[in-house]
Amino acid sequence: MSAHATTYVPKSRIAKWFEARLPIVGLVHSSFIAFPVPRNLNYFWTFGAILMVMLGSQIITGVWLAMHYQPSATEAFNSVEHIMRDVNYGWLLRYMHANGASMFFIAVYVHMFRNLYYGSYKAPREVLYILGVIIYLLMMATAFLGYTLPWGQMSFWGATVITNILAAIPIVGDTIQSLLWGGYSVGNPTINRFFSLHYLLPFMIAGVVVLHVWALHVTGQNNPTGIPIKTGKDAVPFTPYATIKDVFAVVVFFVFFAYWIFLQPNYLGHADNYIPANPAVTPAHIVPEWYFLPFYAILRAVPDKLGGVILMFGAVIILALAPWLDTSRVRSANYRPIYRQFFWVFIFCCFLLGWLGSKPPEGGYVLASRLATVYYFAHFLIVMPLVGLFETPKPLPGSILESVTGPGKQVGSSGMPAGAAAAPPTKG
């Protein structure tokens, strides 16, 4: 991994003085400039940078919104309307924050599916992967708490349903519910607690992200072949190669983000949340935000309340066990023809669960949810262990360089295959 690593050498006297006391510039240089990355990374590897930018966007807009928000059961809904109508660019801040949560989850799901496809969870990256699962859990908690803060009909009843579900947890469930409620039902103390936790958790996410990036720089990045860097020719410096690609991907993603902010700002929300919370009127169909729908479908697929809670949380926890459930010695599904087919079935299953979570829990929807839930867990508990034992992978390239240039070719100092014919000079 040290093929392209260089030692930062400050030139000015001030820079030398500062570097001797706090070598933060050298740390940034070694981590984000000279750090070697595999030369065959595709654009799926840019979603880590997109997620970091989106986290920054959510924190900045969230802090600004908190300056005008009132965490009160009687004033929360009106304070959101005040932000939208009276605060300068308040509508933009709120739409960026509300739709930013959806963009955050879109990027994180692509990031997670890429990890599962290319085997980025395998040794030596188990801790890196588990930290990613922890970030995902914190994201889910933060998003749920944020969804309740507008205190509309769906916010109130979503908080009521989820906190009642937590009461099914043996021994500690009632205590957790009472702590969250701050009373005997969802009310004013509840929204105060939810606001405090929603403000705190993003900074906890940022802390775990630092650990996540640290772990990444210890083990190095995976790549589409799953082969480690063997020589300096397998890698390129992070800057400018990966940096330019990340910047381009972030710009494209923000164009996509802007579409939802300016043209479809309320499409990903629920119309009932524009009605003030009313404990006396239950919405006809209580549903969470779209990024929770697969887990909501798993929860409703089980008739037993405790069983549904166990499976819902188990659907996330089982992700953390993937490094030990996958028995294949090959990382990338590009070279695993049988597992690749099961992986796409798994993707279809996740989308199906999301669609079923938006439907009423009745008739064929319940049966389909149960079948999809069975396959979701079977993918990790049956498919991963067995396919890894019996599958015959395709031959792997000898190196990352060989996967890019083809077998037997070398790369010269210009980055082009050595021996490549130069273009003939043109006539003037």
Side-chain angles (χ1 to χ4, degrees):
M1 293 297 297
S2 59
H4 287 272
T6 58
T7 303
Y8 169 70
V9 179
K11 296 181 180 180
S12 68
R13 293 181 62 184
I14 295 177
K16 291 179 180 178
W17 177 87
F18 190 81
E19 189 69 13
R21 289 155 179 79
L22 184 63
I24 190 170
V25 178
L27 176 63
V28 171
H29 183 272
S30 62
S31 300
F32 299 103
I33 296 177
F35 181 73
V37 296
R39 67 188 311 129
N40 63 338
L41 296 186
N42 57 40
Y43 276 98
F44 284 114
W45 265 262
T46 63
F47 279 87
I50 291 171
L51 285 166
M52 292 183 69
V53 173
M54 287 305 306
L55 176 61
S57 171
Q58 289 299 95
I59 290 176
I60 292 170
T61 55
V63 169
W64 203 267
L65 289 171
M67 297 177 185
H68 303 277
Y69 177 76
Q70 297 184 40
S72 164
T74 56
E75 297 297 330
F77 187 88
N78 292 331
S79 69
V80 173
E81 291 302 306
H82 166 68
I83 291 170
M84 293 291 294
R85 299 171 187 273
D86 301 326
V87 175
N88 289 334
Y89 297 102
W91 62 271
L92 178 60
L93 291 170
R94 182 174 178 242
Y95 283 154
M96 284 185 67
H97 196 71
N99 288 284
S102 291
M103 300 301 107
F104 208 160
F105 274 94
I106 289 173
V108 84
Y109 283 137
V110 174
H111 193 63
M112 291 168 62
F113 287 140
R114 185 266 288 172
N115 287 334
L116 292 173
Y117 184 85
Y118 290 111
S120 298
Y121 50 83
K122 289 178 174 287
R125 300 179 179 87
E126 301 95 330
V127 173
L128 169 66
Y129 176 74
I130 290 172
L131 287 170
V133 175
I134 292 172
I135 292 171
Y136 180 54
L137 284 169
L138 291 172
M139 281 180 58
M140 295 177 74
T142 306
F144 163 69
L145 295 170
Y147 186 58
T148 64
L149 296 184
W151 217 240
Q153 271 289 73
M154 203 55 65
S155 294
F156 174 84
W157 287 101
T160 301
V161 169
I162 297 301
T163 51
N164 274 305
I165 287 172
L166 295 176
I169 301 174
I171 303 175
V172 299
D174 290 334
T175 303
I176 295 174
Q177 184 187 57
S178 298
L179 288 173
L180 290 175
W181 279 358
Y184 299 103
S185 63
V186 174
N188 199 68
T190 310
I191 194 171
N192 271 281
R193 283 160 168 74
F194 281 13
F195 175 69
S196 298
L197 292 172
H198 182 68
Y199 196 95
L200 169 66
L201 287 178
F203 297 99
M204 294 181 63
I205 293 173
V208 182
V209 166
V210 171
L211 295 178
H212 190 62
V213 174
W214 185 5
L216 173 67
H217 284 76
V218 170
T219 60
Q221 288 182 299
N222 189 31
N223 61 86
T225 63
I227 301 172
I229 295 175
K230 298 178 181 179
T231 67
K233 293 181 179 180
D234 287 338
V236 293
F238 187 88
T239 301
Y241 299 98
T243 306
I244 295 298
K245 185 179 287 187
D246 286 347
V247 170
F248 176 74
V250 168
V251 171
V252 172
F253 190 82
F254 264 74
V255 172
F256 175 70
F257 186 16
Y259 167 80
W260 295 101
I261 294 174
F262 297 107
L263 299 180
Q264 300 283 354
N266 298 304
Y267 184 84
L268 297 174
H270 198 286
D272 284 359
N273 230 24
Y274 285 89
I275 303 173
N278 186 352
V281 178
T282 306
H285 187 201
I286 301 174
V287 292
E289 291 283 73
W290 68 267
Y291 35 79
F292 291 141
L293 289 176
F295 304 101
Y296 192 54
I298 292 174
L299 171 70
R300 299 186 309 178
V302 183
D304 179 67
K305 186 176 181 180
L306 176 59
V309 172
I310 292 173
L311 285 186
M312 181 179 68
F313 285 106
V316 181
I317 300 302
I318 201 170
L319 292 169
L321 302 179
W324 296 276
L325 293 174
D326 191 348
T327 57
S328 176
R329 291 178 296 178
V330 176
R331 288 191 179 95
S332 176
N334 282 341
Y335 303 95
R336 302 181 59 190
I338 297 177
Y339 174 75
R340 185 165 62 244
Q341 306 304 319
F342 281 107
F343 174 82
W344 291 116
V345 175
F346 174 73
I347 296 293
F348 172 77
C349 175
C350 293
F351 278 94
L352 178 62
L353 282 170
W355 179 73
L356 292 169
S358 66
K359 300 298 179 182
E362 58 189 23
Y365 297 130
V366 176
L367 176 60
S369 297
R370 291 172 180 171
L371 293 174
T373 300
V374 169
Y375 184 82
Y376 180 92
F377 286 96
H379 179 82
F380 293 97
L381 299 175
I382 298 175
V383 173
M384 276 187 166
L386 293 183
V387 172
L389 293 175
F390 299 107
E391 182 182 46
T392 302
K394 294 180 180 179
L396 294 173
S399 65
I400 294 175
L401 175 64
E402 185 178 309
S403 70
V404 176
T405 63
K409 294 183 179 180
Q410 300 296 324
V411 172
S413 59
S414 65
M416 294 294 292
T426 58
K427 296 180 179 180

